[in-house]
Amino acid sequence: MVIWLRPLDIEDKFSNVWEKLYDNDQDTIRYIEKDLKCCGFKSPVDMPVPAHCSVKKHYGFTTGCLAPLEHQWNTRRHSILWVGFSMVSAQIVALLMGAELVRRFRRNREGYHRVPGQAEGSPLLRA
């Protein structure tokens, strides 16, 4: 939900993740570049994997991956928001149902101690 409210710094977040992937997991970058048909982060010469994807003609990727990543994020963040709201709503309903069950349980338990038509000194009320 916080990301929904602050989408302006999403480029910085993507940049940090891309740098970590570039240093530690280039297979993931290779997969992203292939899937989104892009090369590098902001441009084909900005941390591409493989390093020569911007030079070789057979790759054919002439744009960086930032624009396609932002497009994917913007198209999916509405779904993420609705899933979050749905989960919160389900938790509120469960909490209210639990509170109602506790209230009914307490009311029923108190009702067993009160036997209509019998005096206070009834043997049913003695422990």
Side-chain angles (χ1 to χ4, degrees), residues 33 38-55 61-65:
E33 288 177 338
C38 57
C39 179
F41 183 62
K42 288 184 179 179
S43 71
V45 294
D46 183 20
M47 295 184 284
V49 174
H52 57 277
C53 79
S54 61
V55 178
F61 305 147
T62 58
T63 60
C65 294

Side-chain angles (χ1 to χ4, degrees), residues 3-21:
I3 294 173
W4 173 264
L5 298 174
R6 298 187 55 201
L8 299 176
D9 62 347
I10 198 69
E11 181 179 334
D12 293 333
K13 302 229 184 295
F14 280 147
S15 178
N16 292 338
V17 171
W18 192 274
E19 288 174 16
K20 288 177 185 174
L21 290 173

Side-chain angles (χ1 to χ4, degrees), residues 105-117:
F105 176 75
R106 285 182 179 165
R107 188 180 67 200
N108 286 340
R109 191 175 66 187
E110 290 171 1
Y112 287 126
H113 292 292
R114 283 184 261 126
V115 178

